[in-house]
Amino acid sequence: MSRPTDSAPRVPERHGRITTLPDGRLPSWGPQRRARLAAVVFWGNLISQIGIILSGAAVRLTGSGLGCSTWPNCEPGQFTPELTLASGIHPFVEFGNRTLTGVLSIFAIAVLLVTWRWLGHKGAGFRRLAWVPLIGTAVQAIVGMVVVFADLHPGVVSPHFLISPLLGAVSMVLLVRLYDGDGRVRLAVPARAMAAYIPLAVVGFVVLVLGTIVTGTGPHSGDAGDVTRIAMNPVVASRIHAAAVYVFCALLAVLLVVLHRNRARREAIVAAWALVALTLVQGMIGYIQYFLGLPELIVFLHLIGAALFAATIALVGSRLVTWQDGGTDPLARPDAVSTTDSGALDHDPSEAR
């Protein structure tokens, strides 16, 4: 029997809800092994993209933003930090956040490799989107360098933060796409639902931008020293931010009404209600931190919500469309070979079990 080559036609094989292409370079790796590894890689990419937001929050809230005075070394001629009485844990907190960028890079490279070796049947758009985590992580590292040399100026810190939610959103779309079908993208809900979603997503991003402005006027600069702050009244900034949240909630209510009135697909409704729950909890935490004077723990909880916010908006958007070829089976391809209907990490990100 001749060994399969990369030029030979490859038929997608299914394990659970994931289809992958056989790999001529790894003939012993069956569809189960490929699907499980793909799931680990895509879930790991999403979790790490969200996780770096939380590690960045720890840097800011502990005042460790300038724990390392230079980049990429922690100190001139010294790559790793050293524990001293003067600096305490601050260099380690900052260096830990930098180290997580390496983890992000590993997952981003893995997403790209898995996509190009095993997921080519999902189309050119999917392959292009798979580049975004790696490119975005590289840009994020460069902006992080600028943040250090700019002494945590909020005009640089804000973009540094905003890149991460956007990468989290892209990572969520990639994850949903992994479990969905392999055909061309098409609307899975009435067009009016998508018409309601587009301004929702735009206002959601505005909410995140305004949130960084509020942070830039507040006390958590990221360092105990004299750090430039945005010359704006924090109360006024908070009220503008809250007004944008109210607009977002109104648009979300409109989207829910449209989805329910048109009996839209269950996945879209579940994702929209998940966004409702997250938005309500995030709003409650926001008001609590405001009236309690921005205690670090409550602010950290609010940042956890912000880390999930963009990804959940992306989840809703990805559920308004589908890549299914037809029917109810998201993997309904006439040429797909089914090997099993269950597997490790076979969990759709918005599906209730």
Side-chain angles (χ1 to χ4, degrees):
M1 179 181 295
S2 62
R3 180 178 176 178
T5 63
D6 290 341
S7 60
R10 296 186 294 170
V11 177
E13 298 175 334
R14 180 176 70 178
H15 174 72
R17 294 173 62 87
I18 300 175
T19 57
T20 56
L21 294 172
D23 193 334
R25 297 180 182 178
L26 298 168
S28 63
W29 285 37
Q32 178 177 347
R33 189 173 187 179
R34 295 193 304 267
R36 288 179 172 177
L37 182 57
V40 168
V41 167
F42 279 73
W43 275 104
N45 177 61
L46 175 63
I47 292 170
S48 59
Q49 291 290 356
I50 293 174
I52 200 167
I53 298 177
L54 304 185
S55 69
V59 170
R60 173 180 288 275
L61 296 174
T62 59
S64 303
L66 296 177
C68 292
S69 64
T70 188
W71 190 97
N73 289 340
C74 187
E75 299 295 338
Q78 177 184 311
F79 183 70
T80 58
E82 288 186 359
L83 181 62
T84 64
L85 291 177
S87 59
I89 65 168
H90 298 314
F92 293 90
V93 176
E94 163 62 11
F95 192 77
N97 182 55
R98 296 186 185 185
T99 302
L100 190 54
T101 301
V103 177
L104 283 176
S105 301
I106 291 172
F107 275 111
I109 292 171
V111 164
L112 198 57
L113 290 176
V114 167
T115 297
W116 283 83
R117 291 302 306 172
W118 301 337
L119 302 174
H121 60 294
K122 288 186 176 290
F126 186 85
R127 292 194 297 270
R128 287 193 293 267
L129 196 63
W131 278 97
V132 175
L134 182 59
I135 295 173
T137 300
V139 172
Q140 183 75 301
I142 295 171
V143 176
M145 173 191 68
V146 177
V147 167
V148 173
F149 292 136
D151 293 329
L152 306 181
H153 192 286
V156 184
V157 172
S158 292
H160 187 50
F161 167 80
L162 290 170
I163 292 172
S164 290
L166 293 177
L167 291 178
V170 170
S171 298
M172 176 60 80
V173 174
L174 284 168
L175 181 62
V176 172
R177 182 72 175 83
L178 176 69
Y179 289 95
D180 209 307
D182 305 328
R184 290 183 176 273
V185 63
R186 59 184 175 84
L187 274 177
V189 296
R192 60 178 64 92
M194 182 60 74
Y197 172 77
I198 292 174
L200 173 80
V202 172
V203 173
F205 181 70
V206 171
V207 167
L208 289 172
V209 172
L210 292 174
T212 65
I213 294 175
V214 173
T215 302
T217 65
H220 301 298
S221 64
D223 188 77
D226 186 15
V227 176
T228 302
R229 312 305 292 146
I230 295 177
M232 184 177 182
N233 188 317
V235 175
V236 174
S238 298
R239 289 175 177 172
I240 295 174
H241 176 58
V245 173
Y246 295 149
V247 174
F248 179 84
C249 291
L251 292 170
L252 182 54
V254 170
L255 176 61
L256 276 169
V257 169
V258 172
L259 291 175
H260 279 284
R261 289 189 64 177
N262 290 274
R263 297 182 180 180
R265 66 190 303 221
R266 177 176 174 271
E267 295 91 340
I269 293 175
V270 169
W273 277 109
L275 182 56
V276 169
L278 175 63
T279 302
L280 291 176
V281 172
Q282 181 74 332
M284 290 173 57
I285 295 174
Y287 275 109
I288 291 172
Q289 72 171 3
Y290 177 81
F291 288 113
L292 292 183
L294 302 177
E296 284 82 357
L297 178 59
I298 305 300
V299 173
F300 186 76
L301 293 176
H302 197 56
L303 285 167
I304 292 177
L308 298 172
F309 186 66
T312 309
I313 293 175
L315 174 62
V316 174
S318 63
R319 284 316 190 183
L320 301 182
V321 299
T322 183
W323 291 265
Q324 298 175 19
D325 283 336
T328 58
D329 184 3
L331 298 170
R333 289 174 56 92
D335 57 343
V337 177
S338 176
T339 59
T340 180
D341 289 330
S342 63
L345 292 177
D346 183 29
H347 301 297
D348 188 297
S350 67
E351 184 178 19
R353 295 289 185 184

